[in-house]
Amino acid sequence: MKYYSTNRQVPEVSYEEAIFNGLPDDNGLYMPETIPTLPADFFENIGDMKLHDIAYEVASRFIGEEIPEKELRRIVEETLSFDLPIVEVEKGIYSLELYHGPTCAFKDVGARFLARCLSYFSAKEGKKSTILVATSGDTGAAVGSGFYGVENIEVIILYPKGKISKIQEQQLTTFGKNIQACEVRGTFDDCQKMVKDAFLNKELKEKYNLTSANSINMARLIPQSFYYFWTYAMLKDMGDLVVSVPSGNFGNLTAGLLGQKMGLPIKQFIASTNVNDIVPSYLTSGQFEPRPSTSTISNAMDVGNPSNFYRMKEVFGSSWEDMKEGVKGYAYDDKITAETVADIYRKTDYLMDPHGAVGYLGLKEYMKDHPNSIGVFLETAHPAKFGDVVEPIIKQEVEMPERLAEFARRTKVSTEIDATQEELKKVLETL
Ligand SMILES: Cc1ncc(COP(=O)(O)O)c(C=O)c1O
Ligand SMILES: N[C@@H](CCOP(=O)(O)O)C(=O)O
């Protein structure tokens, strides 16, 4: 499979080149030259298939011969070494819990797959790389965990100072070894811009062999589609599936749309956001207007310039009319998000994190007019990651999984920097 840039100013590249480049030199985003489709009998039999086999079938269509079957099966199995439970919260409303991995957020799936693909190619060719990653809270930890101790790879995590939860900060800043954290005086969008600017600086890119572990990297996106197939496999006999994705940078939703293009029968996707509603506004107005982000209690979705928007545009052939049919968008403020966490916990005993609650709200809104659908919202992080927000809402302590508590006991190490290329260069020089 070849990958092209959405800006179409650079030649197509292989999967290996796409994942090492991260970002094409023309500042576009890589997309597969064609979105592969899966045959009808795959969907007929999917209910009897194992998660690893489903994931392998999907991944192999994007990667082709570049990773041999045996290796790709190993990568998929190691990536998905934890459960993806689907829990009925109310009649016909399901939560797809994506937080059972090592860092308690859905990012574990993408980060573990990317780490293993890069390691496969690095080991073959002895390549050294530096991973630059911008995070609004969860990606950083998942990438740190995925690459911890991996030979030939250095990781630099950029996160916005004072804008992530306490336990998220503990996770990012306490790995040590080949994982370094930088606390940036700015927003997530500033961090993302620093990463993108570094990629566009040829000298820096070549000197440090920079690559990206954000969802701008195709190897993050492909595995994020696995769990949409899994959801269909589990619920396919129940009715028309609608899926609500709590969104910020829109990598997760784009992965779902890729799955749908491959033939996955999901009837409707819903983009649910906090007040950083750049995409829901676009769906209403046809104008894409990035703006500085606002801090919210669903902090990992505080994104003012969602990078995967341009991939979504490609999926819909740049047609606003088609995108607003294919994706319904809703946005919610912190007040209703907090009330929903409390209300659903009181009524059903199910505790959502603030991101999942935004997803739940979008799903319920859509289902008012489509009551016979089967609704799924993505529960993208464990509520204990946002204990500082969730505990006052439910007036109760949230039990912390041991793998999170372990991070809480460690000592934070980070370098505080301004949101400039000069500061980032100084950090790179220490490698
Ligand atoms: C918990 C959580 N939910 C939702 C999102 C939004 O996902 P995406 O950026 O893929 O839209 C993020 C961050 O990416 C997150 O960490
Ligand atoms: N919400 C993310 C932001 C980065 O997203 P990515 O999926 O584009 O890497 C985070 O938690 O860091």
Side-chain angles (χ1 to χ4, degrees):
M1 172 72 79
K2 290 278 182 202
Y3 290 82
Y4 70 93
S5 163
T6 53
N7 283 346
R8 295 177 170 79
Q9 301 298 311
V10 289
E12 291 186 349
V13 296
S14 64
Y15 175 71
E16 177 179 352
E17 287 167 302
I19 73 171
F20 275 96
N21 285 348
L23 197 70
D25 289 343
D26 63 357
N27 201 17
L29 291 173
Y30 285 117
M31 278 291 275
E33 59 175 352
T34 51
I35 299 177
T37 49
L38 284 154
D41 67 338
F42 171 81
F43 293 106
E44 277 154 28
N45 300 327
I46 195 171
D48 298 322
M49 288 172 74
K50 294 202 171 70
L51 171 63
H52 292 160
D53 294 327
I54 296 173
Y56 168 76
E57 289 301 328
V58 174
S60 64
R61 298 303 196 283
F62 286 101
I63 297 171
E65 312 281 286
E66 286 187 62
I67 302 182
E69 174 171 350
K70 187 162 164 260
E71 285 300 314
L72 189 56
R73 284 194 183 277
R74 175 190 58 77
I75 290 172
V76 158
E77 279 168 28
E78 288 177 10
T79 298
L80 295 167
S81 59
F82 45 87
D83 292 336
L84 304 173
I86 300 175
V87 178
E88 189 168 23
V89 176
E90 292 165 21
K91 194 163 169 22
I93 303 275
Y94 293 83
S95 166
L96 169 62
E97 291 184 350
L98 297 173
Y99 58 70
H100 295 272
T103 69
C104 298
F106 78 96
K107 307 285 177 166
D108 282 322
V109 176
R112 288 165 72 78
F113 187 84
L114 168 69
R116 283 161 179 78
C117 288
L118 285 180
S119 299
Y120 168 78
F121 291 120
S122 294
K124 222 171 58 156
E125 290 152 29
K127 266 190 198 167
K128 287 194 178 186
S129 318
T130 306
I131 308 257
L132 275 187
V133 58
T135 185
S136 54
D138 287 322
T139 301
V143 169
S145 158
F147 286 95
Y148 180 69
V150 173
E151 244 179 82
N152 290 331
I153 291 187
E154 296 289 333
V155 176
I156 297 178
I157 304 172
L158 305 180
Y159 73 96
K161 179 178 165 62
K163 293 188 170 62
I164 66 174
S165 83
K166 199 166 166 25
I167 187 72
Q168 284 176 323
E169 185 169 35
Q170 279 299 113
Q171 287 184 295
L172 313 177
T173 57
T174 59
F175 284 107
K177 279 198 180 167
N178 57 330
I179 318 289
Q180 257 198 72
C182 294
E183 196 170 347
V184 176
R185 298 182 199 101
T187 61
F188 166 74
D189 294 302
D190 295 325
C191 300
Q192 183 153 261
K193 185 164 184 321
M194 287 164 80
V195 170
K196 287 190 173 177
D197 287 349
F199 278 103
L200 297 176
N201 180 330
K202 234 178 158 28
E203 195 192 316
L204 268 195
K205 191 173 176 187
E206 279 167 17
K207 182 164 175 196
Y208 297 103
N209 262 329
L210 297 180
T211 191
S212 157
N214 279 107
S215 60
I216 52 181
N217 196 314
M218 269 312 295
R220 271 279 315 281
L221 224 54
I222 294 167
Q224 289 182 179
S225 67
F226 298 162
Y227 36 76
Y228 295 98
F229 286 86
W230 177 240
T231 302
Y232 177 71
M234 293 295 102
L235 301 178
K236 71 193 262 287
D237 297 329
M238 311 207 47
D240 286 341
L241 274 190
V242 302
V243 178
S244 172
V245 187
S247 295
N249 225 2
F250 282 83
N252 219 8
L253 181 61
T254 303
L257 294 173
L258 288 182
Q260 195 183 39
K261 277 259 164 186
M262 293 177 85
L264 182 64
I266 287 182
K267 185 97 179 154
Q268 182 65 53
F269 275 104
I270 299 160
S272 302
T273 69
N274 58 29
V275 293
N276 296 290
D277 63 349
I278 288 81
V279 171
S281 294
Y282 168 80
L283 295 170
T284 309
S285 69
Q287 303 301 316
F288 181 63
E289 293 173 329
R291 58 170 193 272
S293 60
T294 301
S295 294
T296 73
I297 59 169
S298 46
N299 64 273
M301 305 197 303
D302 295 347
V303 181
N305 189 5
S307 60
N308 285 288
F309 173 73
Y310 295 99
R311 282 196 174 116
M312 291 171 69
K313 256 184 103 173
E314 290 291 298
V315 170
F316 291 102
S318 294
S319 160
W320 167 63
E321 285 79 10
D322 287 354
M323 199 197 289
K324 76 183 166 94
E325 281 311 304
V327 182
K328 299 295 171 195
Y330 305 105
Y332 301 93
D333 65 20
D334 281 354
K335 184 166 177 291
I336 176 104
T337 305
E339 281 167 5
T340 302
V341 170
D343 198 40
I344 299 308
Y345 186 54
R346 189 168 38 78
K347 288 187 185 143
T348 69
D349 226 19
Y350 191 78
L351 183 59
M352 298 183 288
D353 94 291
H355 304 74
V358 169
Y360 170 90
L361 279 163
L363 182 62
K364 290 292 274 194
E365 191 148 346
Y366 177 82
M367 286 181 69
K368 271 190 216 153
D369 295 328
H370 303 83
N372 298 324
S373 313
I374 295 298
V376 179
F377 65 97
L378 272 50
E379 183 35 305
T380 43
H382 193 291
K385 283 195 102 165
F386 306 94
D388 30 5
V389 166
V390 174
E391 289 181 355
I393 293 175
I394 61 167
K395 299 181 179 56
Q396 211 174 300
E397 225 174 88
V398 180
E399 201 182 326
M400 195 177 279
E402 178 48 31
R403 61 196 190 284
L404 275 186
E406 219 269 300
F407 281 108
R409 291 190 284 270
R410 299 186 192 170
T411 306
K412 166 182 163 182
V413 180
S414 74
T415 311
E416 194 170 321
I417 59 172
D418 285 329
T420 63
Q421 277 304 289
E422 289 64 41
E423 296 270 286
L424 180 56
K425 267 189 214 158
K426 282 189 214 152
V427 175
L428 285 167
E429 276 159 17
T430 65
L431 292 178

